[in-house]
Amino acid sequence: MSDKVILVFSGKRKSGKDYVTGLLQERLGKANCDLLRLSGPLKKQFAKDHQLDYDKLLDASEYKEKYRAAMIKWGEDMRLANPAYFCNLAIADASTSASVWVITDARRKTDMDYFNKHFNKVLSVRVVCDDTIRIQRGWVFTANVDDAESECNLDDYAHNIIIRNDGNQHELEMQFQSLMERIREM
Ligand SMILES: Nc1ncnc2c1ncn2[C@@H]1O[C@H](COP(=O)(O)OP(=O)(O)OP(=O)(O)O)[C@@H](O)[C@H]1O
Ligand SMILES: C[C@@](O)(CCOP(=O)(O)O)CC(=O)O
């Protein structure tokens, strides 16, 4: 079993998962820390099958939101056949030399089970944020998305670390310091 440190991030839409994991990678350095997106291979295949723009599905765009419900459904069908499908593809693409892998977008208990089964040093990190701030960042409640498994399956998970990302940079910095400390201890 690899002794890489695996940080499995999750959080609601617009809580700031990409923002926080991007900052973390900056702090640790790209050579030491690779970002793994479970939704990466999902979006790539979905774009190919449906003649869509893969790059536009990756960023925080309206385009992505337009196709989110269909992508969730498609991904769930794939996961039903093999819950490890996207996790396997994500790690196959990851940097083997990085000592820290940051999974940016876990959504399901099966994702957590996968990393806990295959790695020793795993921490789950939940990014949280008030709904008022999520709305300011462009979040609009969408039925069949925000109340579905994709957004809610990890709500009751016993996360190791909670990061509050309401936009207070000082508060975020303090939390980063203790997260970096936890990583060093591992
Ligand atoms: N602490 C912060 N300070 C400033 N801007 C932030 C902060 N956190 C997030 N944002 C901004 O809010 C928007 C949403 O953040 P981000 O894309 O990281 O969320 P997400 O949880 O990855 O969302 P999604 O699940 O929809 O991809 C982005 O434009 C991002 O730059
Ligand atoms: C389809 C899906 O992967 C979209 C994720 O997009 P994002 O991480 O919010 O950019 C969500 C899911 O896997 O259920």
Side-chain angles (χ1 to χ4, degrees):
M1 224 183 229
S2 153
D3 70 345
K4 282 184 196 304
V5 171
I6 311 293
L7 302 175
V8 189
F9 276 73
S10 65
K12 301 282 190 188
R13 292 201 291 139
K14 309 298 174 209
S15 58
K17 300 178 293 295
D18 281 335
Y19 183 89
V20 171
T21 53
L23 267 184
L24 183 61
Q25 189 189 41
E26 264 177 38
R27 293 292 168 86
L28 293 171
K30 280 194 176 168
N32 303 317
C33 171
D34 198 11
L35 299 184
L36 283 63
R37 290 179 211 289
L38 301 183
S39 59
L42 189 161
K43 289 174 181 176
K44 191 176 250 177
Q45 195 56 45
F46 183 83
K48 209 166 152 195
D49 288 4
H50 299 82
Q51 288 90 46
L52 297 173
D53 185 334
Y54 170 57
D55 289 328
K56 281 170 79 176
L57 291 178
L58 287 180
D59 58 27
S61 66
E62 271 309 304
Y63 185 84
K64 170 175 79 179
E65 298 307 330
K66 190 170 151 198
Y67 294 105
R68 185 181 289 274
M71 279 197 292
I72 290 174
K73 168 81 182 76
W74 183 87
E76 272 168 6
D77 291 345
M78 301 294 285
R79 282 172 161 121
L80 221 54
N82 176 8
Y85 186 73
F86 298 114
C87 295
N88 280 333
L89 287 176
I91 72 165
D93 239 17
S95 155
T96 48
S97 56
S99 54
V100 180
W101 281 357
V102 173
I103 319 307
T104 65
D105 56 351
R107 293 172 177 278
R108 295 170 174 81
K109 294 194 179 79
T110 51
D111 298 332
M112 307 308 299
D113 293 346
Y114 177 94
F115 289 102
N116 282 310
K117 180 175 161 196
H118 291 94
F119 297 91
N120 279 325
K121 301 180 181 176
V122 181
L123 279 182
S124 66
V125 187
R126 183 73 165 176
V127 181
V128 298
C129 169
D130 282 348
D131 283 355
T132 48
I133 308 286
R134 293 172 66 208
I135 290 167
Q136 286 169 21
R137 291 178 186 155
W139 174 63
V140 179
F141 178 88
T142 308
N144 300 321
V145 171
D146 292 298
D147 50 3
E149 185 182 285
S150 166
E151 287 297 307
C152 304
N153 193 240
L154 292 179
D155 285 358
D156 60 351
Y157 191 80
H159 298 282
N160 298 119
I161 295 175
I162 307 285
I163 294 210
R164 175 151 285 283
N165 178 41
D166 282 329
N168 179 328
Q169 297 306 329
H170 176 68
E171 196 187 19
L172 187 58
E173 182 57 39
M174 302 299 286
Q175 299 173 91
F176 255 82
Q177 303 279 341
S178 52
L179 176 58
M180 302 285 276
E181 194 53 44
R182 290 283 289 270
I183 296 170
R184 272 193 288 272
E185 283 166 12
M186 291 172 93

Coordinates of all heavy atoms in Angstrom, one line a residue, residues 13 17-18 38-39 42-43 57-59 64-65 68 71-73 75-76 79 104-105 107-108 150-151, ligand 2:
R13 N -22.1 22.5 -3.8 CA -21.8 23.3 -4.9 C -21.5 24.8 -4.4 O -22.3 25.3 -3.6 CB -23.0 23.4 -5.9 CG -23.3 22.1 -6.6 CD -24.1 22.3 -7.8 NE -25.4 22.7 -7.6 CZ -26.1 23.6 -8.3 NH1 -25.5 24.2 -9.3 NH2 -27.3 23.9 -8.1
K17 N -14.7 24.2 -3.2 CA -13.8 23.1 -3.2 C -12.6 23.4 -4.1 O -11.4 23.1 -3.8 CB -14.5 21.8 -3.7 CG -15.7 21.4 -2.8 CD -16.4 20.2 -3.4 CE -17.1 20.4 -4.7 NZ -18.2 21.4 -4.7
D18 N -12.9 23.9 -5.3 CA -11.8 24.1 -6.3 C -10.9 25.2 -5.8 O -9.7 25.2 -5.9 CB -12.4 24.5 -7.7 CG -12.8 23.3 -8.4 OD1 -12.3 22.2 -8.2 OD2 -13.7 23.4 -9.3
L38 N -12.4 13.5 -9.5 CA -13.2 12.4 -9.9 C -14.1 12.7 -11.1 O -14.4 11.9 -11.9 CB -14.0 11.8 -8.7 CG -13.2 11.5 -7.5 CD1 -14.2 10.9 -6.4 CD2 -12.1 10.4 -7.8
S39 N -14.5 14.0 -11.1 CA -15.4 14.4 -12.2 C -14.6 14.6 -13.5 O -15.3 14.8 -14.6 CB -16.1 15.7 -11.8 OG -15.2 16.7 -11.6
L42 N -15.1 11.6 -15.8 CA -16.6 11.6 -16.0 C -16.9 12.6 -17.1 O -17.6 12.3 -18.1 CB -17.3 11.8 -14.7 CG -18.8 11.7 -14.6 CD1 -19.2 11.5 -13.2 CD2 -19.6 12.7 -15.3
K43 N -16.5 13.8 -16.9 CA -16.8 14.9 -17.9 C -16.2 14.6 -19.2 O -16.8 14.9 -20.3 CB -16.3 16.3 -17.3 CG -17.1 16.7 -16.1 CD -16.6 18.0 -15.5 CE -17.4 18.4 -14.3 NZ -16.7 19.6 -13.6
L57 N -17.0 22.2 -19.5 CA -17.7 21.4 -18.4 C -16.8 21.5 -17.2 O -17.2 21.1 -16.1 CB -17.9 20.0 -18.8 CG -18.9 19.7 -19.9 CD1 -19.0 18.2 -20.2 CD2 -20.3 20.2 -19.5
L58 N -15.5 21.9 -17.3 CA -14.5 21.8 -16.2 C -14.6 23.1 -15.3 O -14.4 23.0 -14.2 CB -13.1 21.7 -16.7 CG -12.7 20.3 -17.3 CD1 -11.3 20.4 -17.7 CD2 -12.9 19.2 -16.2
D59 N -14.9 24.2 -15.9 CA -14.8 25.5 -15.1 C -16.2 25.8 -14.4 O -17.2 25.1 -14.6 CB -14.3 26.7 -15.9 CG -15.2 26.9 -17.1 OD1 -16.4 26.6 -17.1 OD2 -14.6 27.5 -18.1
K64 N -21.7 24.3 -17.7 CA -21.6 23.1 -16.9 C -22.9 22.9 -16.1 O -23.4 21.7 -16.1 CB -20.5 23.2 -15.8 CG -20.4 22.1 -14.8 CD -19.2 22.2 -13.9 CE -19.4 23.3 -12.8 NZ -18.2 23.3 -11.9
E65 N -23.5 23.9 -15.6 CA -24.7 23.8 -14.8 C -25.9 23.3 -15.7 O -26.7 22.5 -15.2 CB -25.1 25.1 -14.1 CG -24.1 25.5 -13.1 CD -23.7 24.5 -12.0 OE1 -24.5 23.6 -11.7 OE2 -22.5 24.5 -11.6
R68 N -25.5 19.6 -15.8 CA -25.2 18.9 -14.5 C -26.1 17.7 -14.3 O -25.7 16.6 -14.0 CB -25.2 19.8 -13.3 CG -24.7 19.1 -12.1 CD -24.8 20.1 -10.9 NE -23.7 21.1 -10.9 CZ -22.5 20.9 -10.4 NH1 -22.1 19.8 -9.9 NH2 -21.6 21.9 -10.5
M71 N -25.4 14.9 -16.5 CA -24.1 14.3 -16.1 C -24.2 13.4 -14.9 O -23.6 12.3 -14.8 CB -23.0 15.3 -15.9 CG -22.4 15.9 -17.1 SD -20.8 16.8 -16.7 CE -21.4 18.2 -15.8
I72 N -24.9 13.9 -13.9 CA -25.1 13.1 -12.7 C -25.8 11.8 -13.0 O -25.3 10.7 -12.6 CB -26.0 13.9 -11.7 CG1 -25.2 15.1 -11.1 CG2 -26.5 13.0 -10.5 CD1 -26.1 16.0 -10.2
K73 N -26.8 11.8 -13.8 CA -27.6 10.6 -14.2 C -26.6 9.6 -14.9 O -26.6 8.4 -14.6 CB -28.8 11.0 -15.0 CG -29.5 9.8 -15.7 CD -30.4 9.1 -14.8 CE -31.2 8.0 -15.4 NZ -30.4 6.8 -15.5
G75 N -23.3 9.5 -14.8 CA -22.3 9.1 -13.9 C -22.8 8.0 -13.0 O -22.1 7.0 -12.6
E76 N -24.1 8.2 -12.5 CA -24.7 7.2 -11.6 C -24.9 5.9 -12.3 O -24.7 4.8 -11.6 CB -26.0 7.8 -11.0 CG -25.7 8.6 -9.8 CD -26.8 9.4 -9.2 OE1 -27.9 9.3 -9.7 OE2 -26.5 10.2 -8.3
R79 N -21.5 4.3 -12.3 CA -21.1 3.9 -10.9 C -21.9 2.7 -10.4 O -21.4 1.9 -9.6 CB -21.3 5.0 -9.9 CG -20.2 6.1 -10.0 CD -20.6 7.3 -9.1 NE -19.5 8.1 -8.8 CZ -19.4 9.4 -9.1 NH1 -20.3 10.0 -9.8 NH2 -18.3 10.1 -8.8
T104 N -10.4 16.4 -5.2 CA -11.1 17.7 -5.1 C -12.6 17.6 -4.9 O -13.2 18.5 -4.5 CB -10.8 18.6 -6.3 OG1 -11.4 18.0 -7.4 CG2 -9.3 18.8 -6.5
D105 N -13.2 16.4 -5.3 CA -14.6 16.4 -5.4 C -15.2 15.0 -5.1 O -15.9 14.5 -6.0 CB -15.0 16.8 -6.8 CG -14.3 16.0 -7.9 OD1 -13.4 15.2 -7.6 OD2 -14.7 16.1 -9.1
R107 N -18.1 12.7 -3.6 CA -19.5 13.0 -3.5 C -20.2 11.9 -2.8 O -21.4 12.1 -2.4 CB -20.1 13.3 -4.8 CG -19.6 14.5 -5.5 CD -20.0 14.7 -6.9 NE -19.6 16.0 -7.4 CZ -20.1 17.1 -7.2 NH1 -21.2 17.2 -6.5 NH2 -19.6 18.2 -7.6
R108 N -19.6 10.7 -2.8 CA -20.4 9.5 -2.3 C -19.6 8.7 -1.3 O -18.3 8.7 -1.3 CB -20.7 8.7 -3.5 CG -21.7 9.4 -4.5 CD -21.8 8.6 -5.8 NE -22.9 9.3 -6.6 CZ -22.7 10.4 -7.3 NH1 -21.5 10.9 -7.4 NH2 -23.7 10.9 -8.0
S150 N -25.8 13.0 -5.3 CA -24.6 13.7 -5.7 C -24.2 14.8 -4.8 O -23.0 15.1 -4.5 CB -24.8 14.2 -7.1 OG -23.8 15.1 -7.5
E151 N -25.1 15.5 -4.2 CA -24.9 16.7 -3.3 C -25.0 16.3 -1.9 O -24.5 17.0 -1.0 CB -25.8 17.8 -3.7 CG -25.5 18.6 -4.9 CD -24.1 19.3 -4.9 OE1 -23.9 20.0 -4.0 OE2 -23.4 19.0 -5.9
Ligands
LIG2 C1 -21.5 15.0 -12.7 C2 -20.7 15.5 -11.6 O1 -19.4 14.8 -11.6 C3 -20.4 17.0 -11.8 C4 -19.3 17.6 -10.9 O2 -19.0 18.9 -11.3 P1 -18.2 19.9 -10.3 O3 -17.3 19.1 -9.4 O4 -19.2 20.6 -9.5 O5 -17.5 20.8 -11.2 C5 -21.3 15.3 -10.3 C6 -21.5 13.8 -9.9 O6 -20.5 13.0 -10.1 O7 -22.5 13.4 -9.5

